[in-house]
Each structure stands twice: as structure tokens, then as C-alpha cells.
Amino acid sequence: MINQNNQIKISAETRRSIFDKIMSHVDFLGVFQGGNYEDQNIVDFLKMIWDLPAMPSEDPRFKNAEADARQHLINNDDWDLTYTFEDRFNLLAGDVKYFIKFVEACVSPFVRSSLEEIIQYVEEINPLLNRDNCELAIEDYIDDRPHYIIKSGIGFSFDRKDIHSNRYTIYVDKLGDNKPCFFLESIRWDDYGHKTSFYLDYVKVDGSYSRVGKVKICKKNVDKTLNVIPKSFLSLDSNYCSLGQDTSYYYKIKEILGEDAMAFLYSMKDAAVFSRISDHFENDLGFRHSLLRDNNADTALNLGRYVLAGFDPDERVNFTYKTRLAYSSDYDFNIKFDFGRINQDDNFNRVIAIIGENGVGKTSLLSNLAKSIANQQKDCFLPHHPLFTKVVAASYSMFDRFYNIDARAFNFEYCGMHNNEGGLMDLDQLKARHKRNAETINALNRGKNLKKFLGNILPNDMLEGLFKKEDSSFKYDVYEDYYGKMSSGQTMLTNLIIDITANVRSNCLIMIDEPEVHLHPNAITQIINVVNLVCERFSSCCIMATHSPLVIQSLLSRNVLIMERDVDGMPVVRQMRVESLGENLTTINEEIFSNGQRDKYYKRLIERAVEGKESMEQVLQELQNGDLPMSLTSYMLIDKYLNHD
């Protein structure tokens, strides 16, 4: 099939990369592999790309290229594959249309014998095509297998393994022949200059209609969608975004399509079900002024994905997670997270802390959890995979493991010290990220939110200078000037809040590894307060991995999970046995870190001080610092050792 899209340009470098990738498969000829003269063979494969009977032979014994190829590939076998494609037929340096046909043939259902093979080749080729802003996209289905062609643009395909591609043709204003299908009827309604409205109908095999509901579709930087939307399509590209205008739209699609609903909604680039799409369009005027104009549409944006999954929106994020931790790879570790009903205003369970000694696996647990959510590893969760719209992983620890999470199919954002290669960012790279996030905060009109959050950290005179009076927008240039006036801990904490404020979304999971790093005790309690405010404002929740009893002192005991190792060295988790909120730090330390098999230094010191003494006064004279009173714990321990016999 000749691709008629003249916009497609594939560079010599990209052609070489794709050709080498395809040639690395010894069976890339598929059903044409190794056939003889009578069977399907490589010459038949070549005829899918070039019109061999019309091309001249380079051997005077034969009248055309087909006979030439049969002689040298079937009869004599004296052309190897590299010579055939690169030299004889000039695949890499010739007209791009032949290279396009070659790639399309390699993923064709006429060549590949199974769906799994087709998907494997497409997943290997598309990242290379994306370099030149093009992509293999589904054009049709043949015997329930997708037929791909190369299209200009990116965003037609989807790399979620649990979602196949849409197979229902979507027609616009004029019904076609393929049934069952969907039909978009345009509505001439005007939203502040934007015309994005359609009615969506499902058309059955017998031609009868079933109304799905009203949907709005916008395209980046376009006012009138009808002027640009294809007249029929299997999938819109990533420049489009749609949103059902009521939750009933999602109920109806689920009722009609069942398991195919996710594939259909991705083809429509639905913002409610795929939060990365809504993030991409959050600043677009068509999205904000038209798609989200009605209150019912805003509700659909927040709840559509939960309607589709059949979950109670308030129960979707409470779950038990099963994983294998570092140094315990043959042991299933289970941990339960209960954030309560996170849309409820008076929810006191939004923040959960995981605490324990070094080496029990806290960092490993957070990294595994982020990876399992991002990669849709549903078998790791009970009763179901948590339906967060986004995960924001934040850390200023040099040892976090969030940076190496591949989450192309999920809305995941890493805010930490590492770059994509695992090395540490330098100061200029960190400042560039904070500046981008500051711009995002202003674009999303979150200056007032940031000011409220930073009010817990910065003095008022400094705070007022950071925000414009007329619209509370954040003045990042002023903030840069403050760098030298703030302590390193204050700078780190402020940057962390800027990063989180820019990236948090409604129904988001924030993950923070060791929030106490570089912070003094007052700052540690401040960050807990700020994280609570962020979670309340955005109906979200947070998991922290920490070593700090100060973090635990700010939380209810039911929101504290203690990780430790049992007598066999296996990681286990338990809850507090005392109420942690506002509790004495000594008591919290004893509850979390006390281990009868490990003598604490202060116990050994007191035991040595008691040796040879007969009274409390004698011991205190040796230990007490002037008039400072000893702690109650120390008094009780001295008394215990004095009266041991």
C-alpha cells in the first residue's frame, strides 16, 4: 500500500536505525521466510514494496527485476539480504515511499502470523520513527489483526500493554459503510469563540442508533474543531483532546463496549480517563473555556475514569500492595494503605508515614510501589489497582530510586536530585527545573496556593516580595535573588514545595523519600503541615518514607507504618502500639526503634555509672549537667539498676 502522506520525511539516520532493528530479527520476512519457487518467498515480499515486473533486470539473461530476483534469491541464493535491500534496490537512500512500504510490510498481518509479533515490531519501530515526528498507526483490522501504516505526527498508538487499539470507525457528520461504528454529529454551539461540541451515537450492525451523549473535542491552537477533525478515523492524534460533558457519557460507553471502552476512549484522546492528556491541555484555551465550561463537565473530568472502572470514587485509592524487596527477593511483602475517603473535607488520613531503621527496605518499597502503579501491574494490588490520576515522586535524597522509572503510559513526575541517566543534577539543571515549574504554577493560576504553602516556611516580608499583588503570580526572578539569603535547608524545602505545587493534580499520590534530609527539626514539622495542606487542596494523599520521629509526632498512630525485620531477617510491617500524635519523642523512639537484642548506648552509659554506687544522688552527681534535670526515662533506668538485686 503506497502511503500518500507527502509530509512524511524519514532521515537517513532513522532509516538506518529502523533497518538494523528489523534485520536483527532472523525471521523478519514472516510467512515469506525461506519459501521455494512455488511457495510464498522473499521475491513475493519484495513485490509488496516494488513493482518488480515493471522494473528492468540488471542481468541481461532476464527481462525484468522479478526474474532477476528469483534467479539470484531462489535458484542460486547468491544475493544476501544486505545486498538485496541496500545495494540492489537502494532501500535506505532511495525514495522514502519505498522505505515506508518496507516498514509497513514488516508489520503487516499478511506477513506476521500473530498479533503478538505485530505488536512487538511496532513497539520497537515507533520510538525510532518518533524522532522524525511520525508513527505507525492502525488504519484498519484484517481478521482481527491491526493493519498499520506510517502517519505524520505522534500520539496515534498507545503503549499500555493492557489496552488494545480501537477497532470501531468513528465518522463525523456523514455515516460510512463500516458497522458497528460511532457517529459524531457536530453542534453549532459557540463557547467564547470555540466550536467543539458533538453528539456521539453508537451505530449498530442493523443501522439503528443509540445515543451515547454530548462530547466536546478540541485541537491545540484551533478554535473550530469541525474545520480540522478527520471525516472518519480510528484514532485522533495527540494534538486532540475530548471530554464527555456528563458522567452518564462514560456509563453509556462502558455499557456498550465493555472491555473495549478504554481503547475507544484513548482513540478519542479522552481527558477524564487519561490524566496525562488533561495535563497536556490544561493551559489550552479551548480546553479551559469550552470543554470545561459546564459544572457537569468538571465532574466528569474528575470521576469519569472511576465510573469506567466500576469503583466507588471514594474507595479507589485504598489498597494492599504486594512486592519483593531488596535482599528479600524470595519473600512476598504485603502492606496495606488506607487513605480514607480522600474527597472528604475532614479526612485525617491523607498522609501516611513509613518509618524504620536503615536497611529494612523503605526506599525499595516506595520505588517498587511507584513503578507498579505507573506500569499498571494489577496483580500486585488487592482488591484492585489504585486509580490515582498521577504520581509525583519527590526527594532530595541522593539514594532515592524514583529516577529510573519508565512511565510513558502513566502520568508520573519525578522531582529529585537525579537526571535520567542516574547521575546527580548540577545547580544549573535544578534551577532550570524550578524555573519551568514556576512558569507552570503561574500558567495554572496556582500562585495563591503556593503563597499559602510557603507561608508556613518563609518570613512574611520575604513572602510578600515573591508574589505580585494584583494576581498573586510567582516572581521567580525575585526568588532567585533570595537564594543567597536562605539557608540550604530552607532553599531545599522551598524548592520541594514549588515542584510539588506545579505537578500535583486532583486525586494524586505524592511520594516523598526522607523529607527530613538537610532539614532542622522545625522545618521537618513545617513540611508535614505543608504536605497536609497540599493534599487537602487537591483531594490527594501522600506516602513518606522517613527515619524521623518528628514526622511521626505530627501524625495519628493509625497513619504510621513501622517496618522492621523479624527474627529470620524478613521485612515485616506493624502499626504503632501507642498514640503518636503529639507524643513525647523518647516514647516514639522507644516504640519504633527499641530492640531488646541491641543495647542502646545511653543504657550502657547509665549501667556503668551505677557500678559501685549505692544511691540515686551519687549517680546523679556523676551524670547530671549542673541544674538540668534528668529525663524520667533515665531516672527509672537508674532506679532499676540500683535495685537490680
Side-chain angles (χ1 to χ4, degrees), residues 609-619 635-645:
V610 169
E611 289 179 4
K613 309 293 192 308
E614 296 181 355
S615 68
M616 176 73 73
E617 289 75 14
Q618 289 176 308
V619 179
Y635 271 112
M636 294 175 66
L637 202 55
I638 294 169
D639 183 68
K640 174 184 175 182
Y641 290 147
L642 283 172
N643 298 290
H644 180 64
D645 55 353

Side-chain angles (χ1 to χ4, degrees), residues 450-626:
L450 181 62
K451 186 176 182 180
K452 180 178 180 181
F453 302 152
L454 292 181
N456 291 266
I457 298 162
L458 301 178
N460 192 61
D461 56 341
M462 183 181 289
L463 187 71
E464 291 299 326
L466 287 174
F467 297 88
K468 292 182 180 179
K469 291 184 178 180
E470 57 271 22
D471 60 1
S472 295
S473 59
F474 181 51
K475 296 187 287 189
Y476 185 78
D477 55 338
V478 176
Y479 176 66
E480 279 191 300
D481 292 338
Y482 283 171
Y483 262 66
K485 302 176 183 178
M486 296 190 293
S487 68
S488 59
Q490 197 175 39
T491 303
M492 186 280 294
L493 183 53
T494 306
N495 287 337
L496 188 67
I497 293 169
I498 290 171
D499 289 342
I500 291 175
T501 304
N503 289 290
V504 68
R505 298 294 181 268
S506 179
N507 304 318
C508 174
L509 173 63
I510 302 167
M511 305 179 81
I512 306 179
D513 193 19
E514 298 188 18
E516 67 273 13
V517 172
H518 311 302
L519 298 182
H520 60 76
N522 283 343
I524 294 172
T525 56
Q526 288 166 349
I527 195 172
I528 303 301
N529 186 39
V530 172
V531 168
N532 264 303
L533 289 173
V534 172
C535 290
E536 288 173 6
R537 166 62 183 81
F538 292 97
S539 297
S540 294
C541 46
C542 175
I543 301 173
M544 296 182 177
T546 182
H547 297 109
S548 174
L550 283 165
V551 172
I552 307 307
Q553 191 184 44
S554 302
L555 299 174
L556 289 162
S557 59
R558 65 177 182 248
N559 299 322
V560 177
L561 300 173
I562 303 171
M563 282 186 67
E564 51 196 19
R565 293 190 181 274
D566 64 16
V567 292
D568 297 322
M570 293 296 101
V572 294
V573 64
R574 67 174 175 87
Q575 290 193 310
M576 295 282 290
R577 291 170 296 214
V578 298
E579 181 51 63
S580 52
L581 184 66
E583 179 56 270
N584 180 281
L585 291 178
T586 301
T587 302
I588 292 175
N589 261 317
E590 284 293 315
E591 163 63 11
I592 295 170
F593 299 113
S594 179
N595 188 324
Q597 296 177 343
R598 302 177 190 173
D599 289 336
K600 304 297 182 185
Y601 172 74
Y602 78 88
K603 291 183 179 180
R604 297 200 309 272
L605 188 149
I606 289 175
E607 189 174 17
R608 289 174 58 191
V610 169
E611 289 179 4
K613 309 293 192 308
E614 296 181 355
S615 68
M616 176 73 73
E617 289 75 14
Q618 289 176 308
V619 179
L620 293 179
Q621 187 175 0
E622 184 166 338
L623 295 178
Q624 203 164 357
N625 180 14

